[in-house]
Amino acid sequence: MPSFGYKRRYLSEGLFPKIRRNYEQVLTLFCILFSLSILLILVITGVDLGLSIPIASYSIMEGKAGEKGGKGEETEKKREEEDIEFYLVKTIKAITIIYIIAQVLSLFLRILYISFPSISRNNTYVLTLAVLETEGRLVTMYGSTAATDENISCQDICIFYHRVTGGNCHSFCEPLSLPLPGLHLPIQVFCLLLSLLLVCLESALLDIDNFYTATTVISVLNSVQQLLLTLCTYALTTDTGFCCFGISITRWFIHTDVYTQTLESLVKESFTSPNKHENEEWFRSTLVQEPENQMDASRAGQVKMLQHFLETWHEQLYREVYVGQDAVSLFITKNEKDRLDEFYTRRILSYDSDEKVIFQRK
């Protein structure tokens, strides 16, 4: 049966990976401040508009009573405008309540994960090897079919953590299996649409009565704040997604750190020039043996060889941190991920320039 829905699933480092790494705490603080400011504005404008409803309601009832008694002083056009004003205010108030609930939810999740980082300690990641294709800039992960038969270039190799989530959702509802922090971006995009809708509705009120000029100006400023908050959230967001009414988009984030860079450097070294340092004792002691099918020169064979290098190097480096570990898996928890990163960050800083060359990113 053909599918009429739009589904997209892709890997990405985001548009601003360096900004996220270097200014994550600053951007998080800005997000919290913007959220609090938006909530304050929404509460004030919501209360202000709520007080105007009884006035509009009284005018409508007065007009209807005058019409029944035959002594109505307002024209039919004036009564229609008051009806429109009354229902616009009611609609704006309802949208404002939804807007406030969404912002409170997003702010609560953000503060919760900042205050209690142990909540995410059991998140699971899998070490993944991917090769960038020359055609279409696609990423071929291990086990996938390559788009070309060309040899793999060392510059196209990438090693990263891919988050693993629970649940057996169909591919269409995959965004529902994302971690809770992945909801930040969809919520803020939804809030941005609500803020623009409020500007349109309050502009319609302004056409009826100049009394709503101040409220409309504040709503426009609030939309600017919401836009800035959405951009900051996008810069911070890692794994995220959205699914609704036949549309499903999932962006899995390429998680990298010092440990993945170390593995990537070692895998590239083993793949390109395993005999380069054959006379150096420190390299021979850690050199990974090539797999038995190393003579397979096809692209698929090269990907299998790279996967072999990744698994062997990871096992060796992992055992240096977790001594005596019986079994080593490519699936690791966030707690293990952070400990590996901390260990090899200290190791790189402790080596001199000659010893740490193998751990440097090419």
Side-chain angles (χ1 to χ4, degrees):
M1 179 181 295
S3 175
F4 297 99
Y6 174 77
K7 293 181 287 185
R8 186 184 181 193
R9 184 180 191 272
Y10 65 106
L11 291 167
S12 170
E13 288 186 345
L15 292 180
F16 316 105
K18 292 184 179 179
I19 294 178
R20 184 189 62 82
R21 286 194 293 265
N22 297 331
Y23 304 102
E24 182 175 4
Q25 294 181 349
V26 176
L27 290 175
T28 301
L29 179 60
F30 275 134
C31 287
I32 294 175
L33 293 177
F34 279 135
S35 295
L36 292 174
S37 176
I38 289 171
L39 284 172
L40 181 61
I41 290 175
L42 289 174
V43 170
I44 293 175
T45 54
V47 171
D48 186 35
L49 288 172
L51 293 176
S52 67
I53 290 181
I55 299 176
S57 178
Y58 175 76
S59 299
I60 293 174
M61 296 302 295
E62 185 183 51
K64 290 182 177 179
E67 182 180 356
K68 289 181 180 180
K71 299 179 180 180
E73 297 179 356
E74 295 181 343
T75 63
E76 185 68 24
K77 181 178 180 181
K78 183 65 176 178
R79 287 198 299 271
E80 289 179 358
E81 288 181 352
E82 289 179 347
D83 287 342
I84 294 174
E85 179 183 359
F86 175 74
Y87 291 114
L88 279 176
V89 171
K90 293 280 286 185
T91 304
I92 291 173
K93 188 176 180 180
I95 294 175
T96 301
I97 292 174
I98 297 174
Y99 196 168
I100 291 174
I101 293 174
Q103 280 294 348
V104 168
L105 175 62
S106 179
L107 182 62
F108 173 75
L109 291 176
R110 196 181 299 277
I111 295 177
L112 179 66
Y113 276 84
I114 292 175
S115 304
F116 304 97
S118 59
I119 294 176
S120 61
R121 285 295 179 183
N122 292 327
N123 288 350
T124 305
Y125 298 81
V126 57
L127 268 171
T128 305
L129 183 143
V131 178
L132 188 66
E133 298 288 347
T134 56
E135 296 181 1
R137 308 300 293 176
L138 299 175
V139 174
T140 298
M141 296 183 356
Y142 179 66
S144 301
T145 302
T148 65
D149 294 329
E150 300 178 2
N151 290 330
I152 294 174
S153 172
C154 185
Q155 300 300 322
D156 296 337
I157 300 172
C158 178
I159 293 175
F160 56 92
Y161 289 111
H162 188 186
R163 192 191 297 268
V164 179
T165 58
N168 297 318
C169 287
H170 188 268
S171 61
F172 182 79
C173 61
E174 185 179 26
L176 298 178
S177 65
L178 289 167
L180 288 179
L183 295 175
H184 288 315
L185 185 59
I187 289 177
Q188 295 307 328
V189 172
F190 176 67
C191 289
L192 179 60
L193 296 176
L194 291 181
S195 68
L196 296 176
L197 180 58
L198 287 176
V199 171
C200 295
L201 293 176
E202 289 174 4
S203 298
L205 277 178
L206 186 60
D207 292 337
I208 297 174
D209 193 338
N210 292 333
F211 171 78
Y212 299 101
T213 301
T215 306
T216 305
V217 172
I218 292 175
S219 182
V220 172
L221 294 177
N222 182 67
S223 295
V224 174
Q225 279 195 121
Q226 182 61 54
L227 177 61
L228 294 175
L229 175 57
T230 304
L231 292 177
C232 289
T233 304
Y234 180 79
L236 286 172
T237 300
T238 55
D239 302 308
T240 187
F242 171 81
C243 60
C244 183
F245 301 116
I247 300 175
S248 177
I249 301 175
T250 310
R251 187 187 82 175
W252 292 105
F253 196 72
I254 297 177
H255 299 266
T256 58
D257 55 18
V258 173
Y259 183 65
T260 59
Q261 293 174 5
T262 300
L263 281 174
E264 185 175 317
S265 178
L266 293 170
V267 169
K268 288 181 178 180
E269 186 76 20
S270 300
F271 181 69
T272 56
S273 53
N275 299 322
K276 180 179 179 180
H277 306 285
E278 61 182 357
N279 296 324
E280 301 180 26
E281 182 178 355
W282 66 271
F283 183 79
R284 290 201 310 271
S285 64
T286 57
L287 185 62
V288 177
Q289 298 297 322
E290 296 183 5
E292 296 179 357
N293 60 346
Q294 59 178 323
M295 299 305 293
D296 187 357
S298 65
R299 189 177 182 87
Q302 292 175 344
V303 173
K304 292 179 181 179
M305 182 183 296
L306 287 170
Q307 183 70 17
H308 168 78
F309 288 143
L310 169 62
E311 294 172 357
T312 310
W313 274 120
H314 171 60
E315 181 178 2
Q316 179 173 317
L317 299 184
Y318 186 93
R319 291 183 188 278
E320 291 187 27
V321 181
Y322 295 90
V323 181
Q325 185 76 17
D326 294 333
V328 178
S329 172
L330 294 179
F331 292 86
I332 63 175
T333 63
K334 189 177 187 299
N335 192 25
E336 294 173 309
K337 172 177 171 289
D338 293 341
R339 184 174 173 183
L340 288 168
D341 181 55
E342 180 182 355
F343 179 87
Y344 285 98
T345 299
R346 291 200 308 266
R347 169 169 289 189
I348 288 177
L349 295 176
S350 65
Y351 282 166
D352 60 35
S353 58
D354 293 331
E355 290 177 318
K356 73 177 183 180
V357 65
I358 193 171
F359 294 100
Q360 291 177 347
R361 187 182 179 94
K362 300 295 183 181

